Amino acid sequence: MQKHDFYINGKWVKSDSTDELHIINPATEKSLGTIKLGNEKDVEKAVIAARHSFNSYSQLPIKHRLDLLTTIREIYKRRIDDVADAIQTEMGAPTSLARGAQAMVGLGHLKAAIRSLSNHEFEFKHGEFLIRHEPIGVCGLITPWNWPVNQVVSKLAPCIAAGCTAVLKPSEIAPLSSMVIAEILHEANVPAGVFNLVNGLGPEVGEAMSSHPDIDMMSFTGSTRGGVAVAKASADSVKRVSQELGGKSANIILDDNHFKKSVETGVEFCMNNTGQSCNAPTRMLIPENRKEEAFAIAIKKAENTIVGDPKGDNTTIGPLVSDIQFDKVQTLIDTGISEGATLLVGGTGKPDGLNKGYYVKPTVFGDVTNDMTIAREEIFGPVMAVLDFTDETDVIARANDTEFGLSAGVFTNDLSRAHRVIAELEAGSCFINSYNDAPVEAPFGGAK
C-alpha cells in the first residue's frame, strides 16, 4: 500500500513532503507499505481549508448537521468490516476485539453525538440573560494508536455536531483506520474543509498544528510528554487545550464473597487490548491476608490468556503495536525483576512458538510496593502489578499514591463500602464490580 495522499478541502491531495514511513504489521514485523509524513506546508493547507469552511459550516442549521451525522453513521455501518480490518492490520487486534469494541465504538460515538445534538439547546434564557453556545472554530485533533477509531470519532463526531471544522493528525503508527474514516466522510458529502487529515510525526505536524494561530482548540490524547509539548506550543496563541494523557489505574479487590471472580476480572481487563489502554487496571490491590490466594487465581487467569495470531479463532490478545513498544515493555519487566518484585507468571521474551511479531507473555508481578518502577510508570503492555494492603485507609492511600488518576475500580458485594472508598479515590472514572463498561455518553478524563 502506498498511502501518500492527505485529505484536504474535500479531496485527496499530494503532500509537499518527500519523507515516508513504513506501516508495519505488528503480527509479522513486515512492511505493509508507506505513508507520507506531512510538514508545516501541509498543515497550512489544511488549516486554510478548515478556516474557510468554518464561516459557512458553523451557520449550517442543526437539522442539516443531524442529517450529515446520520449519513456518516449509515455509511460507517456498511463499511464496518473495512474499519475492523484496518485496525487489525495496523495494531494487531484480535478479530473479536477488532470487529467488536474497536470498530463498534465508532458507531456508539456517532449515535451519542446525534442524540446530544438533537437535545441540545444552543440558545436559552437564564433570568434576564440570553445564553448562546457557539462553535469554537477550527479544532486540531491529535489521536493515539491504541484505540484509533475510538479516539478519532470521539473527537470528530461532537466537533461536526457543534459546527466546528477539524484538522486531524492520527498516529503515524496506526494511520489506516483514520484514512478509512476519511473515505466514509467523503462519501457522506461532508462539506469541503470541514474535515482534513494530515499524516505525520508529532514534532513536525503536531507542533505545526499546536502553534498555528488559526487553530482555535487543540484536543490531544497520548503520552504525558506529548501533552506537555502540545500545551507549550499552544500557549503563544492562547488557544483552548483539552488533553487526556496516561494512566496507572488502581483496581481494589476487597475481602468478600466474590474474591475469585473479582481477581479474574481484574486480570482480564488488564490484559485486554494487549494491555495497551490508558485506563487499564494495571495495579491490583488485594487484602494482605488473601495474598497467596490472589496470586494463585491471577497466575491461572494469565496462563489461560491465549497470545497469538490476531486472526486466530482462539486468540485472546495479539502483539504489541511496534518494536519500540515491545522493547519498552521488556525493559520494564526486567526492571520489575531487578527491583525485587516477585515474578508470578510471564516474564521477558516472546511466548513459545511466536518468534515473529511483537508478542509479549502475559505477566503478573506480586509483592509490588509503591516505590517500584512497575507501580509508578505506565507500562502499556499485558503486565499487572499486585500490591497488598492492610485496611481501608491503607488501600486508599496506596491507590492515590500515583501521579496518574484516570480510572479506578472497586470490587465488593457491599455497595455502601464501595461508594465510601470511591469517594476518596483521585480518579476520573470509577467502576464497581466491573471495569471500563461506561456508556460513550459518560465523561472521560482523569485527575492529576
Side-chain angles (χ1 to χ4, degrees), residues 3-245:
K3 297 287 188 178
H4 289 180
D5 293 348
F6 300 151
Y7 190 77
I8 297 176
N9 204 28
K11 56 189 176 183
W12 294 97
V13 300
K14 299 292 182 185
S15 168
D16 290 326
S17 172
T18 58
D19 295 334
E20 297 178 3
L21 181 73
H22 283 274
I23 311 164
I24 304 298
N25 183 331
T28 64
E29 302 182 39
K30 293 181 179 179
S31 174
L32 299 163
T34 57
I35 59 168
K36 276 290 180 72
L37 295 176
N39 56 29
E40 191 173 350
K41 291 181 180 179
D42 297 308
V43 172
E44 182 67 23
K45 292 176 185 176
V47 173
I48 289 172
R51 173 58 60 193
H52 178 75
S53 178
F54 176 72
N55 295 330
S56 56
Y57 183 70
S58 60
Q59 303 302 313
L60 198 68
I62 291 174
K63 182 185 181 304
H64 291 188
R65 300 206 296 268
L66 281 170
D67 289 343
L68 187 60
L69 285 166
T70 300
T71 301
I72 292 169
R73 192 168 188 271
E74 289 304 312
I75 297 170
Y76 187 109
K77 280 198 285 189
R78 175 163 50 79
R79 293 203 60 186
I80 197 162
D81 286 347
D82 296 331
V83 173
D85 287 343
I87 293 169
Q88 183 170 71
T89 300
E90 65 193 0
M91 64 164 297
T95 300
S96 58
L97 179 63
R99 297 190 181 281
Q102 284 275 10
M104 293 298 292
V105 72
L107 288 177
H109 285 304
L110 286 164
K111 185 177 182 180
I114 291 167
R115 186 185 298 119
S116 294
L117 182 57
S118 299
N119 298 323
H120 191 78
E121 284 189 85
F122 281 85
E123 187 172 291
F124 56 93
K125 289 193 69 176
H126 182 76
E128 296 181 356
F129 298 97
L130 180 66
I131 297 175
R132 179 182 297 156
H133 291 171
E134 297 181 343
I136 287 172
V138 177
C139 299
L141 315 178
I142 300 179
T143 58
W145 47 261
N146 61 319
W147 284 83
V149 166
N150 173 62
Q151 301 292 353
V152 169
V153 183
S154 68
K155 298 176 190 291
L156 187 58
C159 188
I160 291 172
C164 295
T165 58
V167 178
L168 169 68
K169 188 202 90 65
S171 169
E172 68 278 6
I173 297 173
L176 300 179
S177 53
S178 292
M179 298 180 91
V180 175
I181 297 297
E183 292 171 4
I184 290 171
L185 267 62
H186 183 78
E187 185 179 343
N189 291 317
V190 172
V194 169
F195 169 75
N196 306 273
L197 180 152
V198 178
N199 285 317
L201 303 177
E204 285 79 32
V205 173
E207 166 78 20
M209 290 169 60
S210 302
S211 61
H212 202 293
D214 280 338
I215 288 184
D216 302 292
M217 177 177 182
M218 288 298 300
S219 175
F220 174 86
T221 303
S223 69
T224 302
R225 183 181 64 178
V228 170
V230 167
K232 287 182 175 179
S234 298
D236 287 342
S237 54
V238 202
K239 57 171 61 70
R240 290 174 171 86
V241 178
S242 175
Q243 300 184 111
E244 192 270 289
L245 309 178

Side-chain angles (χ1 to χ4, degrees), residues 299 333 336-337 340-348 362-367:
I299 290 169
I333 293 173
I337 295 169
T342 301
L343 180 64
L344 300 176
V345 63
T348 55
T363 299
V364 179
F365 283 101
D367 302 308

Side-chain angles (χ1 to χ4, degrees), residues 214-421:
D214 280 338
I215 288 184
D216 302 292
M217 177 177 182
M218 288 298 300
S219 175
F220 174 86
T221 303
S223 69
T224 302
R225 183 181 64 178
V228 170
V230 167
K232 287 182 175 179
S234 298
D236 287 342
S237 54
V238 202
K239 57 171 61 70
R240 290 174 171 86
V241 178
S242 175
Q243 300 184 111
E244 192 270 289
L245 309 178
K248 192 70 180 176
S249 299
N251 192 27
I252 298 171
I253 313 295
L254 297 176
D255 188 0
D256 61 30
N257 296 332
H258 300 298
F259 194 76
K260 180 176 182 292
K261 182 181 179 183
S262 299
V263 173
E264 290 175 340
T265 302
V267 175
E268 179 181 346
F269 277 99
C270 177
M271 303 298 169
N272 185 42
N273 202 37
T274 320
Q276 299 170 128
S277 297
C278 54
N279 59 351
T282 51
R283 292 186 298 143
M284 180 178 286
L285 291 93
I286 47 96
E288 187 179 47
N289 65 329
R290 302 190 75 170
K291 180 171 72 171
E292 298 304 324
E293 182 184 354
F295 288 175
I297 296 167
I299 290 169
K300 186 174 181 180
K301 185 66 177 177
E303 288 176 339
N304 289 334
T305 301
I306 301 172
V307 186
D309 182 350
K311 296 183 179 180
D313 293 337
N314 299 317
T315 298
T316 307
I317 62 174
L320 293 172
V321 75
S322 68
D323 57 344
I324 294 173
Q325 194 63 24
F326 177 85
D327 291 342
K328 175 192 173 187
V329 172
Q330 296 296 305
T331 298
L332 284 166
I333 293 173
D334 254 338
T335 301
I337 295 169
S338 65
E339 290 184 354
T342 301
L343 180 64
L344 300 176
V345 63
T348 55
K350 296 181 179 181
D352 291 343
L354 294 172
N355 299 319
K356 276 291 182 183
Y358 307 123
Y359 296 99
V360 175
K361 299 172 185 175
T363 299
V364 179
F365 283 101
D367 302 308
V368 178
T369 56
N370 266 22
D371 59 335
M372 293 180 179
T373 303
I374 58 171
R376 307 207 71 80
E377 290 191 17
E378 185 176 37
I379 298 174
F380 236 55
V383 181
M384 191 173 77
V386 182
L387 302 85
D388 53 78
F389 63 88
T390 55
D391 56 29
E392 203 170 286
T393 301
D394 184 39
V395 74
I396 291 169
R398 290 176 185 271
N400 288 338
D401 183 16
T402 175
E403 66 179 14
F404 299 105
L406 185 54
S407 297
V410 176
F411 283 76
T412 177
N413 57 4
D414 185 342
L415 288 182
S416 62
R417 189 182 185 196
H419 283 284
R420 184 172 67 243
V421 171

